Amino acid sequence: MTSSARPHLNRRLAEFGTTIFAEMSALAVATGAINLGQGFPDTDGPEEVREAAVRALREGRGNQYPPGPGIPELRTAIAVHQQRRYGLSYDPDTEVLVTAGATEAIAAALLALVEPGDEVVALEPYYDSYAASIAMAGGTRVPVTLRPHVEERASFRLDLDELRSAVTGRTRLLLINTPHNPTGTVLTRAELAAIAELAVERDLLVVTDEVYEHLVFDDAEHLPLAAFPGMRERTVTIGSAGKTFSFTGWKVGWVTASPELTAAVRSVKQFLTYVSSGPFQYAVAEALALPDSYFEEFRRSMLARRDILARGLAEAGFEVFRPAGTYFVTTDIRPLGEKDGFAFCRALPQRAGVVAIPNAVFYDDREAGAPFVRFAFCKREETLREAVERLRAL
Ligand code: PMP
Ligand code: GLN
């Protein structure tokens, strides 16, 4: 076959078009609608952190290639954060790796740990880069669907029996995400303990995406999977500064794991970007050392926004799944007489001047995801109030 007759994009990635985030943000720009689609704050993070980046840049720190694993100051700050928050001790030199956002950490971890033919069990709905990264690694994704429970605090829950039966002799790793995008589910201690037991019993690796670790509400608590018995040595934990410090454009993420797992992920990472975000690494090192009051205030302000959006969406007629974590609210549009989230989201900018994300893109089982639509609340309170007003007019 000539090269012009063959599709340019290789077949592993053929099913992945443009990400829904790019599509919906472009629609927001084109229509002038309020963008509650892609999850990025409409105000920047702390001024002192921004100033720390400016200082690093001016002082020439990080303007040339930083060290491959990340600057020592940041690796130490990450290790101190894991120790102080969770009692998990990691050696900054051998067990911490700085990446170009969590996105690169996810890709590098999967490319490092998965052989073609390996199965990767992931919670569905899944963050879209998981499916693409599994595909790039030649793995097979095996989704375990979180199901809506209207009675049980109106949340999406994991069925542990389904998870257990998804594991086969070909399963290489479990890909976990808590707090969970897009449902806002925070896995409980009992659920995490069961996942850990399963991983130990079946000798599985675990990659756990905890980028929303500081965004948990009400009585929910974020517990890192690596802290459960038998998990420290088999778990790759992924974090990111984007969500915690409201600088999503800086793309500073990280991995904490055993020396062997860290080395494996680093082997891939060095050929993806080698390094990134030089001056921002210095700023994030300072950000991680902010006092507890920063993290508390951040959570409090996001909680207030969650409540404005969740209440407003309920009043506008959506069924609302109140998130225990993240900065997303998943809704069911069936009470509005709608059933196709895709069609609903494509029409919403024209109908109401608001952009949202159809959760179906995060499902293999598109039917199961069809009626769910996600709204982000990491926006100014007045923006959320205006969006809610508009949606009420639907
Ligand atoms: N994982 C999840 C669950 C996310 O929602 C996101 C988006 N922030 C990422 C990873 C990617 O994070 P980053 O911007 O640090 O690459
Ligand atoms: N994590 C963000 C979200 O879920 C999007 C990041 C991206 O655009 N890739 O909205």
Side-chain angles (χ1 to χ4, degrees):
M1 205 189 285
T2 63
S3 61
S4 61
R6 189 173 132 182
H8 295 312
L9 182 61
N10 73 61
R11 68 170 73 88
R12 290 189 305 287
L13 289 177
E15 69 171 287
F16 305 99
T18 304
T19 88
I20 193 69
F21 303 116
E23 179 186 341
M24 288 299 168
S25 282
L27 195 57
V29 171
T31 59
I34 297 176
N35 190 355
L36 303 188
Q38 191 175 29
F40 62 90
D42 61 354
T43 40
D44 284 349
E47 190 51 34
E48 66 263 44
V49 176
R50 191 155 54 174
E51 278 307 312
V54 171
R55 244 188 301 117
L57 215 129
R58 287 229 171 87
E59 292 167 6
R61 289 178 291 134
N63 291 334
Q64 309 304 332
Y65 297 132
I71 62 163
E73 292 87 337
L74 177 53
R75 281 185 279 117
T76 300
I78 293 164
V80 168
H81 173 271
Q82 296 305 91
Q83 175 71 53
R84 210 162 67 85
R85 299 263 155 199
Y86 310 121
L88 281 166
S89 126
Y90 287 98
D91 177 344
D93 290 330
T94 58
E95 299 188 308
V96 179
L97 174 68
V98 177
T99 56
T103 306
E104 188 192 37
I106 293 160
L110 290 164
L111 287 166
L113 305 175
V114 172
E115 292 281 4
D118 285 346
E119 291 176 356
V120 175
V121 173
L123 307 182
E124 176 180 80
Y126 43 75
Y127 181 57
D128 68 345
S129 87
Y130 300 172
S133 293
I134 294 167
M136 287 193 277
T140 303
R141 68 175 177 274
V142 177
V144 174
T145 309
L146 303 183
R147 312 259 175 215
H149 279 268
V150 175
E151 337 57 76
E152 207 184 306
R153 299 161 148 210
S155 62
F156 283 75
R157 304 297 344 159
L158 171 64
D159 182 331
L160 290 165
D161 289 327
E162 259 186 70
L163 179 69
R164 282 187 206 100
S165 35
V167 173
T168 73
R170 288 182 301 281
T171 307
R172 170 67 163 164
L173 64 85
L174 306 177
L175 177 51
I176 303 296
N177 171 216
T178 184
H180 182 261
N181 178 8
T183 63
T185 295
V186 176
L187 295 176
T188 63
R189 186 182 294 276
E191 287 164 338
L192 291 162
I195 293 170
E197 268 173 41
L198 177 65
V200 171
E201 181 192 315
R202 305 297 296 267
D203 194 21
L204 304 173
L205 296 173
V206 175
V207 174
T208 174
D209 176 346
E210 303 185 356
V211 301
Y212 297 101
E213 63 191 309
H214 290 289
L215 281 167
V216 287
F217 309 120
D218 308 326
D219 54 357
E221 188 187 1
H222 173 70
L223 300 167
L225 206 36
F228 284 76
M231 296 305 284
R232 171 73 172 70
E233 61 274 20
R234 66 177 68 247
T235 303
V236 174
T237 303
I238 294 174
S240 172
K243 305 292 144 116
T244 299
F245 301 111
S246 299
F247 288 111
T248 59
W250 288 8
K251 297 298 286 187
V252 178
W254 52 83
V255 160
T256 47
S258 69
E260 295 76 16
L261 285 169
T262 302
V265 179
R266 193 171 56 229
S267 298
V268 175
K269 185 263 182 305
Q270 66 186 340
F271 297 121
L272 292 177
T273 55
Y274 178 48
V275 291
S276 62
S277 308
F280 299 126
Q281 291 194 25
Y282 289 92
V284 172
E286 291 192 30
L288 281 167
L290 285 171
D292 288 349
S293 55
Y294 165 74
F295 296 89
E296 280 154 25
E297 173 51 27
F298 174 60
R299 185 191 308 219
R300 197 204 53 71
S301 90
M302 285 296 176
L303 173 63
R305 299 175 212 206
R306 177 199 71 174
D307 289 344
I308 292 170
L309 185 61
R311 203 176 308 124
L313 288 167
E315 283 166 12
F318 293 82
E319 186 183 325
V320 171
F321 296 91
R322 221 158 74 113
T326 75
Y327 44 47
F328 305 113
V329 177
T330 283
T331 61
D332 187 331
I333 56 175
R334 283 173 292 192
L336 297 169
E338 304 274 349
K339 56 183 192 305
D340 177 353
F342 263 114
F344 181 80
C345 288
R346 292 215 165 99
L348 198 59
Q350 292 299 346
R351 286 177 67 195
V354 175
V355 164
I357 299 286
N359 285 21
V361 295
F362 308 129
Y363 285 79
D364 280 11
D365 182 356
R366 295 260 158 142
E367 273 303 298
F372 303 117
V373 167
R374 188 194 87 173
F375 294 85
F377 56 83
C378 45
K379 307 292 174 182
R380 291 188 187 95
E381 292 192 6
E382 61 268 28
T383 308
L384 295 173
R385 290 207 177 85
E386 171 62 26
V388 162
E389 258 333 290
R390 294 181 184 191
L391 290 166
R392 241 200 272 261
L394 269 181

